[in-house]
Amino acid sequence: MTKRVFSGVQPTGNIHIGNYLGALTQFVRLQDGNECVYCIVDMHAITLPKAPEELRDNILDVAALYIAVGIDPARSIVFVQSDVPGHAELAWILMCNSYTGELSRMTQFKDKSRGNESAPTGLFAYPVLMAADILLYDSDIVPVGNDQKQHIELTRDIAIRVNNKYGSDTFVVPEGRFLKEGARIMSLDDPAAKMSKSAANSLSRISLLDDASKIKKAIMRAATDSDGEIRFDPENKPGISNLLTIYSVFAGTPLADLEKTYAGQGYGTLKKDLVDVVTDALTPIKQSYEEVRHSEELLRILKDGAERANAISEQTLKRVKERFGLGSR
Ligand code: TYM
């Protein structure tokens, strides 16, 4: 039986090579043999304040990047979350079946709300909306980076809890799909932190649309160590190990081969080669992004995607509302 795949990316700007290597490459590959649904989660993006014009631009940026990296809208559903009202509707039902205690333990909430007495309620409920995204499509597989592991576990807990109460086939219990390499790309300036869209220092990341000179600057200045040995050892050599991982996944070369090739060479040589590997990989993505970003075609893809997503969402909601006894009929 074909499996349903679902995942999403927040339209918060600066989509970077961490997002690409941890998630987007999986999105593309999973299209073979599965039914894929890829969402631009704009309602998640407003859990923190966002200028409306910027949000609209960022939504279309992510949509164009989806297409540019190889998501095929003829095979996969590509749509914007707020175009499908079922996400918010199901999120409410799930909120009534999740606990404040378990949501308080979410590390992303703790990080983003730390010291903020007036953190928005939406930031707290964020993982429940994510659970609704996934469960709304009866998803089997959810390809994501490692930072989403806790949210996927919560989604499974909620699904199992509801199934126990309202019938075992109320929800499909999904599974996260994490890569062995690339699931957690670290910051270039601080390999103890994960690469993030929001870090103040833009040299901490490489965004998919960065030009060649920015890519070069970020890699050549990447933090390493002082022992000069090129070896994959994330614990003791996090900087070099991060660069080797990025190299390995982009070039499709096993880590062990890279270690052999670069044995006895300086970090400068590795970095210079990595600049070429990353630049070569991102150039075609940037080109197809430019072609599609301002096209009518992109808007058509999103409209068609929303219609297809809505059709699935309505069926699931009908089933769930019946189980819960909601509505007049
Ligand atoms: P977001 O927008 O922060 O990130 C999008 C995807 O990129 C992965 N990722 C990384 N992978 C490797 N290394 C990194 N440094 C790195 N940073 C981010 C993320 O794990 C993610 O897969 N909550 C989600 C969006 C979401 C979602 C969903 C995902 C909302 N609903 C339903 C799956 C299913 C998020 O904020 O991703």
Side-chain angles (χ1 to χ4, degrees), residues 14 16 187-189 195-207 210 214-215 217-219 221:
N14 299 326
H16 52 67
S187 277
L188 296 175
D189 64 337
M195 186 176 284
S196 99
K197 295 175 197 156
S198 56
N201 180 6
S202 73
L203 292 177
S204 69
R205 64 183 160 259
I206 295 171
S207 299
D210 278 346
K214 157 73 199 303
I215 296 172
K217 207 163 158 189
I219 292 177
R221 289 197 190 171

Side-chain angles (χ1 to χ4, degrees), residues 6-12 15-24 27 41 44 81 108 112 126 129-131 133-134 142-148 151-152 182-186 194-197:
F6 181 94
S7 199
V9 173
Q10 284 198 66
T12 39
I15 302 295
H16 52 67
I17 58 171
N19 303 127
Y20 178 68
L21 299 177
L24 293 170
F27 295 8
V41 291
H44 279 104
Q81 186 185 34
Q108 187 175 300
K112 292 197 173 168
Y126 178 111
L129 178 60
M130 179 162 161
D133 298 340
I134 296 167
V142 187
V144 279
N146 269 357
D147 61 338
Q148 298 300 316
H151 291 160
I152 303 289
R184 190 172 174 82
I185 299 295
M186 309 310 284
K194 76 165 182 172
M195 186 176 284
S196 99
K197 295 175 197 156

Side-chain angles (χ1 to χ4, degrees), residues 4-11 36-45 47 66 77 79-95 125-144 148 151-152 154-156 158-159 171-172 174 309-310 312-314 316-317 319:
R4 171 83 47 73
V5 174
F6 181 94
S7 199
V9 173
Q10 284 198 66
C36 299
V37 183
Y38 296 127
C39 186
I40 298 142
V41 291
D42 57 344
M43 295 201 297
H44 279 104
T47 50
Y66 272 177
I77 298 177
F79 76 105
V80 180
Q81 186 185 34
S82 67
D83 284 343
V84 177
H87 291 252
E89 206 175 338
L90 184 60
W92 177 258
I93 296 173
L94 300 183
M95 267 188 254
Y126 178 111
V128 186
L129 178 60
M130 179 162 161
D133 298 340
I134 296 167
L135 301 180
L136 194 54
Y137 296 91
D138 292 334
S139 315
D140 302 291
I141 301 171
V142 187
V144 279
Q148 298 300 316
H151 291 160
I152 303 289
L154 178 78
T155 302
R156 290 171 53 85
I158 296 174
F171 289 129
V172 171
N310 249 311
I312 303 171
S313 143
E314 279 167 10
T316 310
L317 267 171
R319 182 179 76 230

Side-chain angles (χ1 to χ4, degrees), residues 31-32 72 95 119 123 151 171-172 178 184 220 227 230 279 287 296 317:
Q31 291 182 115
D32 294 330
D72 171 7
M95 267 188 254
L123 196 61
H151 291 160
F171 289 129
V172 171
F178 311 93
R184 190 172 174 82
M220 296 312 287
D227 77 12
I230 296 183
T279 309
Q287 270 166 3
E296 285 295 315
L317 267 171

